Amino acid sequence: MAHPEQGTGKVAAQDKLDAFTWGQVVVGPPGSGKSTYCTGMQQFLSLAGRKVAVVNLDPANDATAYAPAVDIGDLVSLEAVQAELGLGPNGGLVYCLDYLEQNMDWLRQQLEPLEAEGCYLLFDLPGQVELFTLHGSLRRIVDALTRKWGYRLACVQLVDAHLCSDPAKYLSALLLSLSTMLHLELPQVNVLSKMDLVEQYGELAFGLDFYLQAQGLGHLAEAMEGSFPPKFQRMTEELCEVIEDFGLLAFHPLAIEDRQSVAALAALIDKSNGYVFAGLARPGQLPPELQYTAGVAEDASDLWEQMEERYMKARDLPPIVEREQQAADAPLEPQPLSQEQQQQTAEQQQRLAAAAAQHAKPLGRLRQQAAAAQEVEQQQQQPPGERLQGDA
């Protein structure tokens, strides 16, 4: 039988867990599929038994497939801001987020009923990259949600998968994702969205595992060689080294209509924001992973292979490790020398020939002295009788 103190402690801990509000902050450049993602994830989690509400914080998001529980358009209008202040779309979005930051009491009032219902929240944010990589308003709004109000949030960074078909665009996506992680300081899950369209603009130079693991980026710099002036090649290599030195980036593949990829992503996000651990603490209830991820591939590489087979053209692309070994085993082909290099080689050969001629005579004398010394040593080693016969 449990002691009263222990029972009280368990109830208090459970009440504290239930007091948390869990959710996702969905960011990504324009066209990466944020609103579509929120619609699909809301439907998926609702079928899994969660109460899910979408909070639209994008003033430019007029028509959405989901019905937002909270809409920033009720607070401030992007069109009115542009008309009254003479701002463009980007400046108008920055003003709207600044205005929201100054009216956090309005947002608090809108979210309190959702908290009371125990809703899982999806925050749909604008696609202007300055807002989640540089500008301070969104960072301070997120800080208020997590530090003041106690929300347990994970950032979901969406990147359009077709960017992988261009090495330079993929490198930009890597830098964008890393900048978001460092700026917002949230647990972050990076996602390659629209995997069903991954090769819409061209075939990939590497296998899907290369783009998902974001390792061995020196090959990416090699793939971009010749696409811009040589003076930028070193800068590209340094950028790749910076990304690898942080060691923070990896991507999860997502096709929003593919149930298996959505389920695997939802399980990963639940680990990131801690929802899965709260589920494990609730007695008599299965953890969230087991509630909706039955049949999901246990090994991430299995899911990668399935999506590669389903959405990429069949061709022989060995894994990156095998390609590295093939490159190491391949014979080196001589590269033609430029006129300047040929002249330098000829001058070096002339200097070597002059040095050899200068030392030829001393070397010849040394050889003669060594031969004479060897002959004397051999004579000394002969028995006395043989030496006399030789002298005679």
Side-chain angles (χ1 to χ4, degrees):
M1 182 175 178
H3 294 285
E5 294 81 0
Q6 293 176 342
T8 304
K10 289 182 179 179
V11 172
Q14 187 61 53
D15 291 341
K16 187 175 181 180
L17 286 171
D18 292 336
F20 289 147
T21 299
W22 314 88
Q24 305 174 24
V25 175
V26 184
V27 300
S32 58
K34 296 183 296 299
S35 297
T36 303
Y37 170 85
C38 289
T39 302
M41 186 59 72
Q42 181 186 34
Q43 295 173 355
F44 181 84
L45 295 178
S46 297
L47 292 174
R50 299 192 200 180
K51 294 181 180 179
V52 183
V54 182
V55 179
N56 177 34
L57 297 184
D58 184 0
N61 208 356
D62 297 330
T64 59
Y66 59 81
V70 179
D71 191 350
I72 192 176
D74 297 335
L75 174 68
V76 60
S77 169
L78 177 61
E79 294 180 355
V81 167
Q82 291 181 257
E84 294 179 11
L85 302 180
L87 298 174
N90 292 340
L93 285 172
V94 171
Y95 180 89
C96 289
L97 266 292
D98 289 343
Y99 190 79
L100 176 62
E101 183 191 357
Q102 299 301 321
N103 293 272
M104 290 296 288
D105 53 342
W106 173 87
L107 183 60
R108 181 64 171 166
Q109 186 178 15
Q110 298 294 317
L111 294 178
E112 281 179 349
L114 303 178
E115 295 178 23
E117 296 176 11
C119 289
Y120 185 96
L121 302 180
L122 300 175
F123 292 88
D124 188 5
L125 296 180
Q128 187 180 359
V129 297
E130 294 89 340
L131 293 175
F132 50 87
T133 58
L134 297 172
H135 197 62
S137 292
L138 182 57
R139 165 72 181 273
R140 290 186 288 270
I141 292 172
V142 169
D143 285 347
L145 291 171
T146 55
R147 300 182 182 181
K148 293 183 180 179
W149 303 351
Y151 286 18
R152 297 296 184 264
L153 303 176
C155 178
V156 179
Q157 167 86 50
L158 298 180
V159 174
D160 200 326
H162 83 78
L163 298 179
C164 298
S165 60
D166 186 330
K169 292 180 180 178
Y170 176 68
L171 178 59
S172 299
L174 291 174
L175 293 171
L176 174 65
S177 300
L178 182 58
S179 298
T180 304
M181 296 179 78
L182 300 178
H183 184 64
L184 295 183
E185 295 185 348
L186 286 176
Q188 182 163 316
V189 178
N190 300 302
V191 180
L192 285 181
S193 62
K194 304 182 184 180
M195 278 299 301
D196 51 327
L197 303 176
V198 63
E199 292 192 327
Q200 182 181 14
Y201 297 99
E203 296 183 353
L204 305 188
F206 306 98
L208 185 59
D209 60 325
F210 175 82
Y211 298 98
L212 295 175
Q213 295 176 2
Q215 297 177 1
L217 298 180
H219 299 281
L220 193 67
E222 294 174 1
M224 286 187 282
E225 190 172 1
S227 59
F228 38 69
K231 63 180 180 180
F232 296 117
Q233 181 66 25
R234 181 58 182 169
M235 183 185 71
T236 303
E237 295 172 356
E238 293 291 345
L239 289 175
C240 292
E241 290 180 8
V242 167
I243 295 171
E244 286 192 322
D245 288 344
F246 273 97
L248 297 175
L249 290 183
F251 289 91
H252 183 89
L254 174 68
I256 197 62
E257 297 180 354
D258 186 330
R259 179 190 178 280
Q260 191 172 19
S261 69
V262 177
L265 177 58
L268 182 59
I269 295 171
D270 282 346
K271 291 179 181 178
S272 299
N273 62 16
Y275 184 88
V276 64
F277 304 110
L280 289 170
R282 293 189 175 95
Q285 182 180 2
L286 289 173
E289 277 191 329
L290 301 182
Q291 292 179 19
Y292 54 79
T293 59
V296 174
E298 295 183 1
D299 189 350
S301 61
D302 295 339
L303 177 62
W304 301 350
E305 291 176 1
Q306 293 172 16
M307 302 199 78
E308 191 169 24
E309 293 175 0
R310 189 175 305 169
Y311 300 119
M312 295 175 63
K313 296 178 182 178
R315 60 188 188 278
D316 185 17
L317 275 179
I320 187 64
V321 175
E322 295 182 12
R323 290 196 294 274
E324 290 178 351
Q325 186 62 41
Q326 292 174 1
D329 296 340
L332 296 176
E333 298 182 358
Q335 299 293 327
L337 299 177
S338 64
Q339 184 176 0
E340 182 179 358
Q341 291 174 329
Q342 292 177 1
Q343 183 178 358
Q344 292 176 352
T345 302
E347 293 175 354
Q348 185 177 9
Q349 290 175 349
Q350 291 176 358
R351 289 195 297 269
L352 291 174
Q358 182 178 359
H359 295 287
K361 293 181 179 181
L363 287 175
R365 289 195 296 269
L366 289 174
R367 292 193 186 96
Q368 293 175 359
Q369 293 174 1
Q374 185 177 8
E375 184 178 355
V376 171
E377 184 179 0
Q378 290 176 353
Q379 291 178 357
Q380 291 176 349
Q381 291 177 354
Q382 292 178 355
E386 294 183 1
R387 286 203 302 269
L388 292 172
Q389 292 178 2
D391 293 340

